Amino acid sequence: MTQDDGDPLSVVVNLFDVAMVFAVSLMVAMVMHLNMADFFGSDNFTVVKNPGQDNMEIITKEGKEINTYKASGEKQQADGTMGKRLGTAYQLDDGRVIYIPDGEN
């Protein structure tokens, strides 16, 4: 018996190690590709997906709590009254906010 004739299950252990390294690297690549690294940090942030579109979403992280808000044409207040969208506000790179009213009244 030579040293090369060792335990036949040692190959399985090596394949498991390779599979674990591949799985972890795949998860890291997915997090980096989807720009989800901020979700694992301690900073608070707000992300706006599809700004100005009908399917716009606002994702906020405050501490460990993550909230998602989906845009709709109308908003129901806590007292039961309804509201409607009047326009869109944009924040410029220098910090100024510009409000653009919708053409509807």
Side-chain angles (χ1 to χ4, degrees):
M1 184 176 249
T2 64
Q3 288 181 342
D4 293 338
D5 294 336
D7 186 16
L9 293 178
S10 65
V11 175
V12 174
V13 173
N14 289 336
L15 288 176
F16 178 77
D17 292 341
V18 169
M20 290 304 295
V21 169
F22 179 74
V24 169
S25 62
L26 190 62
M27 287 190 304
V28 169
M30 183 182 69
V31 166
M32 297 301 288
H33 176 71
L34 297 175
N35 296 325
M36 293 178 16
D38 293 335
F39 284 95
F40 302 111
S42 61
D43 297 336
N44 296 336
F45 67 89
T46 301
V47 176
V48 179
K49 289 176 54 178
N50 304 323
Q53 304 292 325
D54 290 337
N55 61 347
M56 181 175 76
E57 289 183 55
I58 301 172
I59 303 170
T60 60
K61 179 179 181 259
E62 297 171 357
K64 293 184 177 183
E65 185 175 333
I66 298 175
N67 297 311
T68 302
Y69 305 98
K70 295 191 180 198
S72 65
E74 296 183 351
K75 170 94 175 164
Q76 184 170 2
Q77 304 296 328
D79 61 359
T81 59
M82 297 292 287
K84 67 177 183 175
R85 179 178 168 161
L86 297 175
T88 306
Y90 296 96
Q91 184 173 17
L92 301 178
D93 290 338
D94 62 1
R96 292 182 296 156
V97 177
I98 296 176
Y99 170 72
I100 301 174
D102 286 343
E104 305 168 5
N105 286 330

